[in-house]
Amino acid sequence: MPALPVPYDNALPPGFTLYDDRLADLLPLTPTVFHMLVALSAGPTHGYAIAQEVEELTGGQLVLGPGTLYGSLQRMVASDLIQEAPNPGEDGLHAERRRYYKITGLGSAALRAEAERLARAVDAVRERLG
Amino acid sequence: MSTPPSVDRLRDLYRRLLALYPRDFRQRFETDLLQAFDDRRGEPRFRGTTGGLRLIAFLFRDFMTSVPLARPRADRRGIELMINDVLRDLRFSLHMLVKNPLFTVAAVATLALGIGLNAATFSAVHGILLRPLPGAEDPEELVQVYREWAGIEFGSNSVPHYQDVRDRTDDVFENVAAWFFEPMSIAADGQTERTMGLMVSADFFQTFGVDPVVGRAFIPGVEDEGPGAHPVTVISNGFWQTRFGGDPGVVGTTISINGHAFEIVGVTPADFNGPMTIAEPPLFVPLMMVNVIRPGFDMLSARGSNSMNVIGRMRDGVTVERVGQRMDVVLTQLREEYPASYEDQLGTTLVLQSEAGIHPSFGAAQMGMSTVMMAVVGLLLLLACVNVANLFLARARDRKREMGIRLSLGASRARIVQQLLTESLTFSFVAGLAGLAIANVSVGLLAAFRPPIDGPWTVGVEMDSTVLLFTAAVSLAAGFAFGMAPALQAARTETVSSVKGTGGRVGRSRMSSGLVVAQIALSLILLTSAGLFLRSLQSATRIDPGFDDPANLVMASVDPQLQGYDEAEARAFWDRLLDDVSRMPDVSLVALTSTPPLGLNTSDRGVEIPGYEFAENERSSLHYAYVSEGYVETMGIGLLEGRSFTEADDADAPPVMLINRRFADRFWPGESAVGKAVQTAGTSWTVVGVLETGKYGSLGEDPTEFMYMPNRQRFRSDMTLVARTPADPAGVMQSIRQLVRDMDPDMPVYDVRTMEDHMGIALLPARLGGTVLGIFGLLGLALAAVGIYGVMAYSVSQRKRELGIRVAMGADRRSVVRLVLGEGLRLAVIGTVVGLAASLGAARLVQGLLYDVSAVDPVAFTLVPATLLAVALLAVYVPARRAASVDPIGALKAE
């Protein structure tokens, strides 16, 4: 797969080069993964909260079922976009034993790159359609 | 916030479906997945019934997307493709169902009725006959024991006989129990009811392997010792729930049975309803208490008083043959010890509990009945499948073009077969659901059915898992069966050879034509039989029962001795009740009888007539009743000669008797019977009056001799009060109950109803027969209609080209309609003729159950075929119209 040209190299976090193979393999992100990363970009949280956040972000367009949610989380952990985070503890609200996740450096880079890609696409459309 | 229980079942189902995921994924995320499920379930949009359905759809989609997601990348592509295909086929199938509502409704209704009635009938047969006794441990080890006499294969057992059998069969039986139904009046919590309880030997529960859920069972060695010494009872789970709200504290409390206090010692488990599938006795009382429950007769020591059922549990490895040999030895011993009691007993009949059905004396009849029922509904299901297959074939034919296009666009045949199979399985899933709903409703109706006889009788029918599996298997098999034929046919589609449209009659459909004829014939048989029953009901209501206006006669039965009254107290009770009821403003006349007419029981007794010699086999045992003064007047029975009873006909007066005209004509033809003597019950009675002959046992009976004796001359405790009211039967019934309650709050009053309702019992067989056959007949009619429609629609679609040519050549549309109508009607007429011939045979079978209706009843035999032909005409008309609207140019160009 040819590496995507990503011109905004200043958008990448330290440690990632422009044509990083790992990043190229991950792009473009599927809408599900993209929105889940957006949800996680606000800070570590648990699966159900991610699903709710995604639903809100997409105006109810994307409702993640249990299998899709954890299937995606598993794949995202496998490709190093996110990783498990410690459960913040027994603060009552999250007293149940839920798995927490946080976004990784690679995940942030992929999210940023995907956002730029989408932004360019949006810009192009706006320019042509006025 | 409470979640409906169905949601929890859903969670369970969801948990099981997690097995679809790869094992490592499942192990890692199971709790998280269930947690996510619970979170979703808590959301407002997934609550309630519609929410539940939404949740199911949501989870289905989730599975479809996530199952490949959770797999290693390499497998993913193939699975995704397959799932895409399945999803697309499913969507298309649903679309097809919605797009052709007429087709869908006809086919789904046909198959659903077939499946539904199959499941319901299977439930009934299974519940009553086939199911091993519910709640009993290892029911295949249980053997019913009967005494065999000349002409009686399944004779009951007496208490001493049972005890001897029990004590002498230790080598073959682990336990031997005895039981019988006994009327009991039960008072607890200020409510009194009269019902049938079960008297059981102390080892009854051990024999059946039943452990009480609360308290204890009876203990052999305790409750089978000392007559009257252990006033204890085990109550049924149902009685425990309804009367005591399932309170475990009832153990140790007392209830009143027939006026005596009994301590409740245990509660049976919910799945055990006693030794018969058609009754749920509310309580069990030790056999040794029978002299308390039913005083006045020492049943415990009466070797000749046979009224008990005996059942034994065989030891491991013992066969019925060995039990038989042992029983022969026991019988030989007993013959020597008690020659008088055993000289007539021929042997012992043993019946395995699992083969006994309701009662072995019904023998082959009950199994035969259920086999016939199963055969009829099985046949209906088969016809339903054939019909649906025909419908599918007709449609497959219409879709040949679609298939051809698909093939030419590169679809593989396998792919097309897969799609059609998905369609038919989707269809049979929908039909299976609808069928299950129909089965549920009919089983509910069956289970709610209570014969109009007091007692704990039930129809032990419920949908159980066997039935569910049966339904699922039937509907899947049906789906596959009719899915395959069109699928194969469609996949065979060549460059569409159908252009050669064979013209003339459709060769392939000879078999389906034959089936249509068979369907019409079958439904005609069922419908004419139902018609005969209905006609019989109609004429039964016109039969003169020998008394007036049954709607304004109120009956109520009481047995003071059940409540522990002695003779003097019972007499006083009856006198006072008669007096009080006669003073009620809405009652014009009131009287008592021991045996109201047209009930389930009649009593007969041998008579001798001075000067009359009975021939060898002439019937000398005649029906009788004990009645009070005023009975003849209250009932409105015609008095032909002499007088009726008065209060003066009491124990001090000479014994007198009333007889009916049939009685008089038989013994004293041509002369007056008044003043003649009849000897019966150890007394010589003088005839004082002759009454009109009425109906006593059943409305259909031939004129029967009947005699009445005054109850003041022979005391009977259990009597039925009859009161005539010109205006308000319901109010009078209420007042009579109240009067009895005022006299003794614990006295049970039973069988309170109008004579008209009481007579309903006599009409029950005709009513049941008419209803059941009518339902099956109507179903058959619907099937036949769909069948004839399917065949004609198929034929029309196959002959489109030929019909198009006819129209193009100038045939007018009417003649096309006539052509198709004629062909359809030909089938209908053949079916009707065959059916009529078979119906005449069938009518002979049900003749015995009919009142005053000829087996060749003209009304049933013209109305039914006419209706059937009309329905057939309608079913043919739709495809005929379609044939006539064939566009000649389109039809010619199309292929």
Coordinates of all heavy atoms in Angstrom, one line a residue, chain A residues 46 48 51-52 55 63-75 77 84 96-99 101, chain B residues 14 21 24-25 28-29 31-33 35-37 39-40 43 45 58-59 62 65-66 69-70 73 76:
Chain A
H46 N -14.3 4.5 29.9 CA -14.7 3.1 29.7 C -15.5 2.9 28.5 O -16.0 3.8 27.9 CB -15.3 2.5 30.9 CG -16.6 3.3 31.3 ND1 -17.8 3.0 30.7 CD2 -16.8 4.2 32.2 CE1 -18.7 3.8 31.3 NE2 -18.1 4.6 32.2
Y48 N -18.6 1.8 27.6 CA -20.0 2.3 27.4 C -20.0 3.8 27.2 O -20.7 4.4 26.4 CB -20.9 1.9 28.6 CG -22.3 2.3 28.5 CD1 -23.0 1.9 27.3 CD2 -22.9 3.1 29.4 CE1 -24.4 2.3 27.2 CE2 -24.2 3.4 29.3 CZ -25.0 3.1 28.2 OH -26.3 3.4 28.1
A51 N -19.1 4.5 23.7 CA -20.2 4.3 22.8 C -21.2 5.5 22.9 O -21.7 6.0 21.9 CB -20.9 3.0 23.2
Q52 N -21.4 6.0 24.1 CA -22.4 7.1 24.3 C -21.8 8.4 23.6 O -22.6 9.1 22.9 CB -22.6 7.4 25.8 CG -23.7 6.4 26.4 CD -23.8 6.7 27.8 OE1 -22.8 6.8 28.6 NE2 -25.1 6.7 28.3
E55 N -22.1 8.2 19.9 CA -23.5 8.4 19.5 C -23.8 9.9 19.4 O -24.4 10.4 18.5 CB -24.4 7.7 20.4 CG -25.9 7.6 19.8 CD -26.8 6.8 20.7 OE1 -26.3 6.0 21.5 OE2 -28.0 6.9 20.5
V63 N -24.5 4.0 16.4 CA -24.8 3.4 17.8 C -24.0 2.1 17.9 O -24.3 1.2 17.1 CB -26.3 3.2 18.0 CG1 -26.6 2.8 19.4 CG2 -27.1 4.4 17.6
L64 N -23.1 2.0 18.8 CA -22.2 0.8 18.8 C -22.8 -0.2 19.7 O -23.1 0.0 20.9 CB -20.8 1.2 19.4 CG -20.1 2.3 18.6 CD1 -18.8 2.6 19.2 CD2 -19.8 1.8 17.1
G65 N -23.0 -1.4 19.2 CA -23.5 -2.5 20.0 C -22.3 -3.1 20.8 O -21.2 -2.8 20.5
P66 N -22.6 -4.0 21.7 CA -21.5 -4.5 22.6 C -20.4 -5.2 21.8 O -19.2 -4.9 22.0 CB -22.3 -5.5 23.5 CG -23.7 -5.1 23.4 CD -23.9 -4.4 22.1
G67 N -20.8 -6.0 20.8 CA -19.8 -6.7 20.1 C -18.9 -5.8 19.2 O -17.7 -5.9 19.2
T68 N -19.6 -4.8 18.6 CA -18.8 -3.9 17.7 C -17.9 -3.1 18.6 O -16.7 -2.8 18.2 CB -19.8 -2.9 17.0 OG1 -20.9 -3.7 16.5 CG2 -19.1 -2.2 15.9
L69 N -18.4 -2.7 19.7 CA -17.6 -1.8 20.6 C -16.4 -2.6 21.1 O -15.2 -2.1 20.9 CB -18.5 -1.5 21.9 CG -17.8 -0.6 22.9 CD1 -17.4 0.7 22.4 CD2 -18.7 -0.5 24.2
Y70 N -16.5 -3.8 21.6 CA -15.4 -4.4 22.2 C -14.5 -5.1 21.1 O -13.3 -5.2 21.3 CB -15.8 -5.4 23.3 CG -16.1 -4.7 24.5 CD1 -17.4 -4.4 24.9 CD2 -15.1 -4.2 25.4 CE1 -17.8 -3.6 26.0 CE2 -15.4 -3.5 26.5 CZ -16.7 -3.2 26.8 OH -17.0 -2.4 27.9
G71 N -15.2 -5.5 20.0 CA -14.4 -6.0 18.9 C -13.4 -4.9 18.4 O -12.3 -5.1 18.1
S72 N -14.0 -3.6 18.3 CA -13.2 -2.5 17.8 C -12.1 -2.2 18.8 O -10.9 -2.0 18.4 CB -14.0 -1.3 17.5 OG -15.1 -1.6 16.6
L73 N -12.5 -2.2 20.1 CA -11.5 -1.8 21.1 C -10.3 -2.8 21.1 O -9.2 -2.4 21.1 CB -12.1 -1.8 22.5 CG -13.0 -0.6 22.8 CD1 -13.8 -0.8 24.1 CD2 -12.2 0.7 22.9
Q74 N -10.7 -4.1 20.9 CA -9.6 -5.1 20.8 C -8.7 -4.9 19.7 O -7.5 -4.9 19.8 CB -10.3 -6.5 20.7 CG -9.3 -7.7 20.8 CD -9.8 -9.0 20.3 OE1 -10.6 -9.0 19.4 NE2 -9.4 -10.1 20.9
R75 N -9.3 -4.6 18.5 CA -8.4 -4.3 17.3 C -7.6 -3.1 17.5 O -6.5 -3.0 17.0 CB -9.3 -4.2 16.1 CG -9.8 -5.6 15.6 CD -10.8 -5.4 14.5 NE -10.2 -4.9 13.3 CZ -11.0 -4.5 12.2 NH1 -12.3 -4.7 12.3 NH2 -10.4 -4.1 11.1
V77 N -6.5 -1.8 20.3 CA -5.4 -2.1 21.2 C -4.3 -2.9 20.4 O -3.2 -2.6 20.6 CB -5.9 -3.0 22.4 CG1 -4.7 -3.5 23.2 CG2 -6.8 -2.1 23.3
E84 N -5.0 -0.1 27.4 CA -5.9 -0.1 28.6 C -5.3 0.8 29.6 O -4.1 1.0 29.7 CB -5.9 -1.5 29.2 CG -7.0 -2.3 28.5 CD -7.4 -3.6 29.3 OE1 -7.5 -3.5 30.6 OE2 -7.5 -4.7 28.7
E96 N -18.2 0.0 39.5 CA -18.2 -1.3 38.9 C -16.8 -1.5 38.3 O -16.1 -0.6 38.0 CB -19.2 -1.5 37.8 CG -20.6 -1.2 38.2 CD -21.0 0.2 37.6 OE1 -20.4 1.2 37.9 OE2 -22.0 0.1 36.8
R97 N -16.5 -2.8 38.0 CA -15.2 -3.1 37.5 C -15.3 -2.9 36.0 O -15.5 -3.9 35.3 CB -14.8 -4.5 37.8 CG -14.5 -4.7 39.2 CD -13.4 -5.7 39.1 NE -12.8 -6.0 40.4 CZ -12.5 -7.3 40.7 NH1 -12.9 -8.3 39.8 NH2 -11.9 -7.6 41.8
R98 N -15.1 -1.7 35.5 CA -15.1 -1.5 34.0 C -13.7 -1.4 33.5 O -12.8 -0.8 34.2 CB -15.9 -0.3 33.7 CG -17.4 -0.4 33.9 CD -18.0 1.0 33.6 NE -19.4 1.0 33.9 CZ -20.4 0.6 33.1 NH1 -20.1 0.2 32.0 NH2 -21.6 0.8 33.5
R99 N -13.5 -1.8 32.3 CA -12.2 -1.7 31.7 C -12.1 -0.2 31.2 O -13.0 0.2 30.5 CB -12.1 -2.6 30.5 CG -11.1 -3.7 30.6 CD -11.1 -4.5 29.4 NE -11.6 -5.8 29.6 CZ -10.9 -6.9 30.0 NH1 -9.6 -6.7 30.2 NH2 -11.5 -8.0 30.1
Y101 N -9.9 2.7 28.9 CA -8.9 2.8 27.8 C -8.5 4.3 27.7 O -9.2 5.2 28.0 CB -9.6 2.4 26.5 CG -10.0 1.0 26.5 CD1 -11.2 0.6 26.9 CD2 -9.1 0.0 26.0 CE1 -11.6 -0.8 27.0 CE2 -9.4 -1.3 26.1 CZ -10.7 -1.7 26.5 OH -11.0 -3.0 26.5
Chain B
Y14 N -28.7 -13.8 25.0 CA -27.6 -13.0 24.6 C -26.3 -13.7 25.1 O -25.3 -13.9 24.3 CB -27.6 -11.6 25.1 CG -26.5 -10.7 24.6 CD1 -26.4 -10.3 23.3 CD2 -25.5 -10.3 25.4 CE1 -25.4 -9.6 22.8 CE2 -24.4 -9.6 25.0 CZ -24.4 -9.2 23.7 OH -23.3 -8.5 23.2
Y21 N -18.7 -15.8 19.2 CA -17.4 -15.2 19.1 C -16.2 -16.2 19.3 O -16.4 -17.2 19.9 CB -17.3 -14.1 20.1 CG -18.2 -12.9 19.9 CD1 -19.2 -12.6 20.7 CD2 -18.0 -12.1 18.8 CE1 -20.1 -11.6 20.5 CE2 -18.9 -11.0 18.5 CZ -19.9 -10.7 19.4 OH -20.7 -9.7 19.2
D24 N -11.0 -16.7 22.5 CA -10.2 -15.8 23.3 C -10.9 -14.5 23.5 O -10.8 -13.9 24.6 CB -8.8 -15.7 22.7 CG -8.9 -15.3 21.2 OD1 -9.9 -15.6 20.6 OD2 -7.9 -14.8 20.7
F25 N -11.6 -14.0 22.5 CA -12.3 -12.8 22.6 C -13.4 -12.9 23.6 O -13.5 -12.0 24.5 CB -12.9 -12.4 21.2 CG -13.8 -11.2 21.2 CD1 -13.1 -9.9 21.2 CD2 -15.1 -11.2 21.3 CE1 -13.9 -8.8 21.2 CE2 -15.9 -10.1 21.3 CZ -15.3 -8.8 21.3
R28 N -12.0 -12.9 27.2 CA -11.5 -11.6 27.6 C -12.6 -10.7 27.9 O -12.5 -9.9 28.8 CB -10.6 -11.1 26.5 CG -9.8 -9.9 26.8 CD -8.7 -9.7 25.8 NE -8.4 -8.2 25.7 CZ -7.6 -7.7 26.7 NH1 -7.1 -8.4 27.7 NH2 -7.3 -6.4 26.6
F29 N -13.6 -10.7 27.0 CA -14.6 -9.6 27.1 C -16.0 -10.0 27.6 O -16.9 -9.1 27.6 CB -14.7 -8.9 25.8 CG -13.5 -8.1 25.4 CD1 -12.7 -8.5 24.3 CD2 -13.2 -6.9 26.0 CE1 -11.6 -7.8 24.0 CE2 -12.1 -6.2 25.7 CZ -11.3 -6.6 24.6
T31 N -17.6 -10.4 30.5 CA -18.2 -9.5 31.5 C -18.5 -8.2 30.9 O -19.5 -7.5 31.1 CB -17.4 -9.4 32.7 OG1 -16.0 -9.4 32.3 CG2 -17.7 -10.4 33.7
D32 N -17.5 -7.7 30.1 CA -17.7 -6.3 29.5 C -18.9 -6.3 28.5 O -19.7 -5.4 28.5 CB -16.5 -5.9 28.7 CG -15.3 -5.9 29.6 OD1 -14.7 -7.0 29.8 OD2 -14.9 -4.8 30.2
L33 N -19.0 -7.4 27.7 CA -20.1 -7.5 26.8 C -21.5 -7.5 27.5 O -22.4 -6.8 27.1 CB -20.0 -8.7 25.9 CG -18.8 -8.6 24.9 CD1 -18.5 -10.0 24.3 CD2 -19.2 -7.6 23.8
Q35 N -22.0 -6.4 30.5 CA -22.1 -5.1 31.1 C -22.7 -4.1 30.1 O -23.7 -3.4 30.4 CB -20.8 -4.6 31.6 CG -20.8 -3.2 32.2 CD -21.5 -3.2 33.5 OE1 -21.2 -4.0 34.4 NE2 -22.5 -2.3 33.6
A36 N -22.2 -4.2 28.9 CA -22.6 -3.3 27.8 C -24.1 -3.6 27.5 O -24.9 -2.7 27.3 CB -21.8 -3.4 26.6
F37 N -24.4 -4.9 27.5 CA -25.8 -5.3 27.3 C -26.7 -4.6 28.3 O -27.7 -4.0 28.0 CB -25.9 -6.8 27.3 CG -27.3 -7.3 27.2 CD1 -27.9 -7.5 25.9 CD2 -28.1 -7.5 28.3 CE1 -29.2 -7.9 25.8 CE2 -29.4 -8.0 28.2 CZ -30.0 -8.2 27.0
D39 N -26.1 -2.1 30.2 CA -26.2 -0.6 30.0 C -27.2 -0.2 29.0 O -28.0 0.6 29.2 CB -24.8 -0.1 29.6 CG -23.8 -0.2 30.7 OD1 -24.2 -0.2 31.9 OD2 -22.6 -0.2 30.4
R40 N -27.2 -1.0 27.8 CA -28.1 -0.7 26.7 C -29.5 -1.0 27.2 O -30.5 -0.2 26.9 CB -27.8 -1.6 25.5 CG -26.6 -1.2 24.8 CD -26.8 0.2 24.1 NE -25.5 0.6 23.5 CZ -25.3 1.8 23.1 NH1 -26.2 2.8 23.3 NH2 -24.2 2.2 22.4
E43 N -31.4 1.7 28.9 CA -31.8 3.0 28.2 C -33.3 3.0 27.9 O -33.8 1.9 27.5 CB -31.0 3.0 26.9 CG -29.5 3.3 27.1 CD -28.7 3.3 25.8 OE1 -29.3 3.4 24.7 OE2 -27.5 3.2 25.9
R45 N -35.0 3.8 25.4 CA -35.4 3.4 24.0 C -35.5 1.9 23.9 O -36.2 1.3 23.0 CB -34.5 3.9 22.9 CG -33.1 3.5 23.1 CD -32.2 4.1 22.1 NE -30.8 4.1 22.6 CZ -29.8 4.5 21.9 NH1 -30.0 4.9 20.6 NH2 -28.6 4.6 22.4
F58 N -31.2 -4.5 17.2 CA -30.0 -3.8 17.4 C -28.8 -4.8 17.6 O -27.8 -4.8 17.0 CB -30.1 -2.9 18.6 CG -28.9 -2.2 19.0 CD1 -28.2 -1.3 18.2 CD2 -28.3 -2.5 20.3 CE1 -27.1 -0.7 18.7 CE2 -27.2 -1.9 20.7 CZ -26.5 -1.0 19.9
L59 N -29.1 -5.8 18.5 CA -28.1 -6.8 18.8 C -27.8 -7.7 17.6 O -26.7 -8.1 17.4 CB -28.5 -7.7 20.0 CG -28.6 -6.9 21.3 CD1 -29.2 -7.8 22.4 CD2 -27.2 -6.4 21.7
D62 N -25.5 -5.9 15.5 CA -24.3 -5.9 16.1 C -23.5 -7.2 15.9 O -22.3 -7.2 15.6 CB -24.5 -5.6 17.6 CG -23.2 -5.5 18.4 OD1 -22.3 -4.8 17.9 OD2 -23.0 -6.1 19.4
T65 N -22.1 -7.5 12.4 CA -20.9 -6.7 12.1 C -19.7 -7.1 12.9 O -18.5 -7.1 12.5 CB -21.1 -5.2 12.3 OG1 -21.8 -5.0 13.5 CG2 -21.8 -4.6 11.2
S66 N -20.0 -7.6 14.2 CA -18.8 -7.7 15.1 C -18.3 -9.1 15.1 O -17.1 -9.3 15.5 CB -19.2 -7.3 16.5 OG -20.2 -8.2 17.0
L69 N -15.4 -9.1 12.9 CA -14.5 -8.1 13.5 C -13.6 -8.8 14.5 O -12.4 -8.5 14.6 CB -15.3 -7.0 14.1 CG -14.7 -5.7 14.4 CD1 -14.3 -5.0 13.1 CD2 -15.6 -4.8 15.2
A70 N -14.2 -9.7 15.3 CA -13.5 -10.3 16.4 C -12.6 -11.4 15.9 O -11.9 -12.0 16.7 CB -14.5 -10.8 17.4
R73 N -7.6 -11.4 11.2 CA -7.8 -10.7 9.9 C -8.0 -11.6 8.7 O -8.7 -11.3 7.8 CB -6.6 -9.8 9.7 CG -6.8 -8.7 8.7 CD -5.6 -7.8 8.6 NE -5.6 -6.8 9.6 CZ -6.0 -5.5 9.4 NH1 -6.4 -5.2 8.2 NH2 -6.0 -4.6 10.4
R76 N -11.3 -13.0 7.9 CA -12.4 -12.0 8.0 C -13.2 -11.8 6.7 O -14.4 -11.8 6.6 CB -11.8 -10.7 8.5 CG -12.8 -9.9 9.3 CD -12.1 -8.7 9.8 NE -11.2 -8.9 10.9 CZ -10.2 -8.2 11.2 NH1 -9.9 -7.2 10.4 NH2 -9.4 -8.5 12.2

